[in-house]
Amino acid sequence: MERKSENKICQNCKQDFTIDPEDFNFYEKIKVPPPTFCAECRMVRRLMWRNERSLTKRECGLCHKSLISMYSDAAPVYCTECFHGGDWDQFINAKEYDFTKSFFEQLKELLKINPRFYSYKFGNFINSEFVNYAKDNKNVYLSFSTIYCEDISYSNVIDKSKKSMDCLNVDKIDGCYENIYCEGNYNTTYAVKSQNCIDSNFIYDCSNCSDCFMSMNQRNQKYVFQNQKLTKEEYFQKIKEYKLNTYSGIKKAKEEFDNSIKNKAFHKYALIYASENATGDNVHNARNLKQVFDTYESENISYANRVLWTKDTMDVSGCGYGELIYESMAATQNTFKDFFCYMTIEGCRECEYSIALTNCSNCFGCVGLKNTQYCIFNKQYEKEQYFEMVEKIKKHMNDMPYVDEKGRVFAYGEFFPYDLCPFGYNEGNAHDFFPISKEDALERGYNWKEKEKKDYKVTIQSSDLLDNITDVSDDILKEIISCPNNGDQMTQCTSAFKIVPAELQFYKQKNLPIPRYCPNCRHYERLKYRNPIKLWKRGCMCDKSHAHHVGQCSIEFETTYAPERTEKVYCEKCYQQEVY
């Protein structure tokens, strides 16, 4: 008999949510109870654990080498050499399970004392100290969630790219600046949702174009200005009038781009390409996805974001090369059947409620272990005893669940409680996707990290910077520049910033002006071009007559464009008719 959908009330937001039959099938397959938090609250809860950008100076707990770590709490952190090859006893803080205390009380104690790998990096790194959530980088600076990149700065979610700066959610780009949700572009600046474009500027939803400027919805075009075809000479004369080597010129062009190009373009309901049976956004080469975002080369995934080369998985964030993963953050590199985990990497298998493990199997409630198996609270057991204890602990988690200060109940089947997270809400990715104020975060029982006060000796106001990049000398490298947002917590503003030599060289090579805002504020400005990772049911806005309809189109879809937004959001068929 097929299971029917069930409506429940979320423990956190108190809103109704639905568990579908296929969800129940998955829970039964992996033998976990259904969730008591809605999909969005589960997503927020996981993203609170993904601290990409808030880095701090630490010392390795063994060799005392200086590190740039994502952890600022009191627990020790180890450098790469010490963690993987150091002579230290990883079982020294092992705990006997105490059936008089709740499971999460005990895990919280272990998390406070057990060492962890200082950041989320694996592979080879050359001159790439200031990165996190990264693999195989060379000359990468203050960039995060970067895979196979070279000569990249101030960027996020960027794969297989080089010689680019200030980008977001891009793949295989080269020599680009301010590209957002783009793929395959070369020498292109200020591009949004565009693919395989060359030598173009201020373009929105363009594909296979060369030398296009201030244009939208173009395909296979060259020398297009404001969606009008020009001669080569006319085209370059028009661009020259914008004075793109000046900050004032760039500022004016961005205003025109936002008001006259981006907002007036035809918008496809979702960026879903070469995929089958998928709902979500920014999906490529995938099939059977439900409410999935920023994902490629994956199948049978639900309620997830930033998933690569993964299958048969639900409720994950930051997952790559995994299978049968559930309610986990950063389970990557050949992981299998990891449930309710944070940062289980490089071959972790059948681990539950564990944190920062490398190449482990059958570990339950463990922290910072490597190359081991059959452990509970970092204590090793015989195989048979391990499985017996795990079943007893699961029952105990239900009989004596952890209840937080807001009355939320955490039994077996729920991800870690909010107060277990070592990061503040404003440090994790949750703040990027679901921004809230400090007051709101504390009201909801989330941690908040107070910003460390810096006494920067500002030497120049950003408003006093030279307008034209050709007038800027190497003396700018000595300056400490004020940021106009003046420490705004919502943008993680650093109040001041410096220009580094490679950055200045890039601006001069691209003939681009010096930015006026710190890297964090520029990041949050780019986030405005990204739709939320949530879906609304809407109808196609096309009221023209096409082959499949006369008058108003009747096709409905799920989209990241909220109903109150004014952009022209079209279904696949109407979009194809208008753009191609």
Side-chain angles (χ1 to χ4, degrees), residues 247 251 451 458 460-465 480-489 491-497 514-522 525:
Y247 184 76
K251 183 179 179 181
K451 183 181 175 184
V458 171
I460 187 171
Q461 298 296 316
S462 60
S463 56
D464 293 332
L465 292 171
I480 299 176
I481 307 166
S482 69
C483 181
N485 282 341
N486 196 29
D488 183 6
Q489 286 194 341
T491 63
Q492 302 290 298
C493 178
T494 58
S495 302
F497 63 103
I514 299 295
R516 267 48 176 178
Y517 290 82
C518 72
N520 279 359
C521 289
R522 303 201 304 267
E525 189 64 25

Side-chain angles (χ1 to χ4, degrees), residues 55-61 64-78 112 115-116 118 129:
L55 305 181
T56 186
K57 286 187 176 182
R58 296 285 302 271
E59 276 192 356
C60 174
H64 306 294
K65 179 172 67 176
S66 180
L67 300 172
I68 304 298
S69 176
M70 62 179 174
Y71 297 109
S72 61
D73 58 337
V77 295
Y78 287 176
K112 288 179 180 178
R116 288 160 273 166
Y118 74 105
E129 185 179 12

